[in-house]
Amino acid sequence: MNAVSRPSTTVDLPEDYAAAAERFAAAVGATDLRAPVPACPGWSAYDLVVHLGNVHAWAATIVETGRRAAEQNDRPRSSRARSVREWYLAKAEDLYQVLRCIPSDRPCWNFVFGEGVADFWRRRQLHETTVHRIDLDVVAGRVSDPAPEVAVDGVSEVLEVMLTRALQRGHRLRLDAPVQLVATDTGDSWVVSPLQRSRPGVPRESSGSPPGRRA
């Protein structure tokens, strides 16, 4: 499956990540942490916060070293909202300091392509944080309002990166014809086309353009 995207506005990845983390922390303090998360079956809001905090710590270690790292399994000292929020903010701040100090083009492992650069993690952590803040908003019945430029870059990341991850994990995606996606508020557009196949079950590269990174 190939995606062609039209360039949009620039996203300041470290600063937009920091803003997303602040919004997530505010949502933690205004959410019943015992409530289930519809988008994450079997998880409570507390579980979601713990997950994201540990992902931040994992990502910080990877970006600092440039190498694959063991996943983190830390937990707050208390399940009270204030304690959980402070625990999360500490994890988020540690990651922010790493993301802003490490050059974006420094070689760095990632879980989709193996080899890559640190900028992969800046983008991934921005969008993971944004999506999980929306998860908490759903739990609490709040309306989410992600910035349009962040939202459109999130769509691009899904098409350029996470579809590859889905295929690696065995999720077969059926697409019989090209599909155009349009963000009506920004005018950004994407065309997603099925890969041509040289023989049944063996994909080969499409004649279309590869996924385009937003400027």
Side-chain angles (χ1 to χ4, degrees):
M1 203 171 284
N2 282 316
V4 180
S5 60
R6 185 177 72 75
S8 183
T9 55
T10 300
V11 176
D12 186 337
L13 295 174
E15 297 307 319
D16 283 333
Y17 156 72
E22 288 285 351
R23 293 188 187 101
F24 182 88
V28 170
T31 302
D32 179 359
L33 298 182
R34 299 166 298 180
V37 181
C40 305
W43 281 12
S44 66
Y46 171 84
D47 296 328
L48 179 65
V49 180
V50 171
H51 160 76
L52 187 59
N54 281 312
V55 168
H56 289 340
W58 179 60
T61 301
I62 292 169
V63 175
E64 277 191 303
T65 64
R67 299 190 297 270
R68 187 170 186 167
E71 295 183 5
Q72 304 288 315
N73 191 28
D74 192 17
R75 285 185 173 271
R77 293 182 179 180
S78 166
S79 59
R80 293 184 177 180
R82 181 176 179 179
S83 178
V84 174
R85 179 178 179 275
E86 291 175 351
W87 175 88
Y88 170 77
L89 280 172
K91 301 290 186 183
E93 175 65 19
D94 285 348
L95 176 60
Y96 171 66
Q97 294 301 328
V98 171
L99 295 181
R100 64 187 288 268
C101 293
I102 299 296
S104 62
D105 60 352
R106 176 177 170 177
C108 185
W109 176 87
N110 68 69
F111 60 87
V112 178
F113 306 112
E115 296 181 357
V117 295
D119 213 33
F120 171 96
W121 290 99
R122 289 176 167 177
R123 195 184 197 196
R124 177 84 293 269
Q125 289 304 284
L126 165 61
H127 295 311
E128 180 149 9
T129 305
T130 299
V131 166
H132 285 325
R133 193 256 296 186
I134 293 171
D135 289 336
L136 288 184
D137 286 345
V138 170
V139 169
R142 294 184 294 264
V143 176
S144 294
D145 57 344
E149 64 272 18
V150 171
V152 295
D153 190 71
V155 174
S156 278
E157 194 215 23
V158 168
L159 298 176
E160 297 165 10
V161 178
M162 302 312 288
L163 279 183
T164 297
R165 179 61 170 164
L167 291 170
Q168 289 172 346
R169 301 183 74 174
H171 300 291
R172 309 311 300 175
L173 308 176
R174 180 175 178 178
L175 187 64
D176 298 322
V179 173
Q180 183 177 28
L181 308 176
V182 178
T184 56
D185 54 346
T186 67
D188 289 272
S189 63
W190 302 261
V191 176
V192 185
S193 301
L195 286 172
Q196 298 176 358
R197 296 178 180 275
S198 55
R199 64 177 185 274
V202 181
R204 63 182 178 84
E205 289 297 324
S206 166
S207 58
S209 301
R213 175 65 190 277
R214 296 189 178 280

